[in-house]
Amino acid sequence: MAFASQSFGHRTNWIYFSAIFRIMGKMIEFPSNGTNGVGYLATPTTSNGKAIVVIQEWWGLVDHIKDVCDRFAALGYLALAPDLYHGKVATEPDEAGKYMMALEIDKFAKDLSGAVDELMVRAETSKVGVVGFCMGGGLALVLAANRPDAVGAVAPFYGVIPWPEAAPDYSAITASIQGHYAEIDDFAPPKVSRGLERSLVELGKDAEFFVYPNTEHAFFNDARPEVYDAAASNQAWDRLIPFLEESLR
């Protein structure tokens, strides 16, 4: 599904309509350290001067992620979701897991960094925000650590880096951090997310995490009715937008 919207401050009343009516976004190519990255770019009708990198779940660059970009564009943000799988989309968990495990660290780091640079040029800004979901939530933190010069706000949704050897240098992050996590989540359980929050705060980072009661992993994904939680999603969105506005001011 795609979304139309009426905005009242940062609150948004979403009206579902068929994806064929999506008018904000298009696929683009962008420079990526000597090669080309690809991604979905949603351009606002009236810009607020801010830009957001949206990082996919392990499924790939699916319609849900494009819709999130469109939601940001409806509020004035220029939003780019890099396609880390370069055209591949998973429909089953085993397939998604294989795609995620096959990611080349150097390649996706270049694609994410290239997306940051592309947005800074297009939006004529020196700081961007990063929002990521599931796998993308962990990668959002990686990007913030890799590009402290350019990332001013980072918001992981139910995402962590579960392997210590792959964890970024959290001390390098200069961005403000707002995390959104599910209470019932085997991938990023509250013990892990709260532990990460404590570690970030102990490092002197501006970090605040929210754990949503009685929610499951991917509660923000309205394309998955078995786990989607409308109340938690709306609350997370209502927290996220003022956070981005303040952090990217």
Side-chain angles (χ1 to χ4, degrees):
M1 288 291 187
F3 297 84
S5 68
Q6 291 179 313
S7 297
F8 306 93
H10 62 81
R11 294 188 60 85
T12 306
N13 177 30
W14 299 108
I15 303 171
Y16 292 80
F17 63 105
S18 171
I20 62 172
F21 292 107
R22 180 185 290 121
I23 59 174
M24 295 180 187
K26 64 180 180 180
M27 295 299 295
I28 66 164
E29 292 189 357
F30 54 86
S32 178
N33 196 20
T35 183
N36 283 333
V38 294
Y40 180 83
L41 180 73
T43 303
T45 302
T46 302
S47 174
N48 65 9
K50 301 178 179 66
I52 306 290
V53 177
V54 179
I55 309 181
Q56 68 188 53
E57 296 175 305
W58 71 343
W59 304 107
L61 185 54
V62 296
D63 281 347
H64 167 62
I65 298 300
K66 295 176 181 178
D67 288 337
V68 172
C69 290
D70 288 347
R71 296 185 206 186
F72 279 121
L75 297 180
Y77 294 85
L78 183 66
L80 174 60
D83 183 359
L84 300 181
Y85 294 165
H86 290 262
K88 293 185 293 186
V89 173
T91 57
E92 299 293 336
D94 286 348
E95 184 183 20
K98 289 178 182 178
Y99 288 164
M100 180 180 71
M101 297 305 294
L103 276 178
E104 299 177 19
I105 301 297
D106 290 344
K107 175 60 179 173
F108 81 67
K110 291 175 183 176
D111 284 350
L112 293 175
S113 186
V116 168
D117 291 335
E118 182 72 11
L119 283 178
M120 288 197 298
V121 170
R122 287 177 178 262
E124 298 182 345
T125 183
S126 60
K127 293 288 182 181
V128 304
V130 182
V131 179
F133 300 87
C134 181
M135 175 189 80
L139 296 182
L141 293 166
V142 172
L143 180 56
N146 288 349
R147 292 298 305 271
D149 62 304
V151 176
V154 57
F157 277 70
Y158 33 84
V160 295
I161 299 295
W163 310 285
E165 66 276 9
D169 178 7
Y170 293 115
S171 68
I173 295 176
T174 58
S176 296
I177 307 161
Q178 186 184 82
H180 302 273
Y181 291 85
E183 182 182 38
I184 306 166
D185 190 342
D186 292 334
F187 177 73
K191 180 179 179 180
V192 173
S193 60
R194 288 301 189 195
L196 175 58
E197 180 186 29
R198 284 193 299 272
S199 296
L200 291 167
V201 172
E202 288 170 0
L203 287 169
K205 306 306 173 185
D206 176 16
E208 182 177 19
F209 284 15
F210 298 97
V211 176
Y212 295 83
N214 302 314
T215 58
E216 299 181 49
H217 187 81
F219 68 82
F220 193 81
N221 189 338
D222 50 17
R224 297 184 59 201
E226 72 276 13
V227 293
Y228 174 62
D229 188 301
S233 296
N234 289 336
Q235 187 176 31
W237 188 258
D238 286 345
R239 287 168 168 163
L240 174 64
I241 298 306
F243 164 76
L244 293 173
E245 291 174 353
E246 177 64 26
S247 301
L248 299 177
R249 181 172 298 169

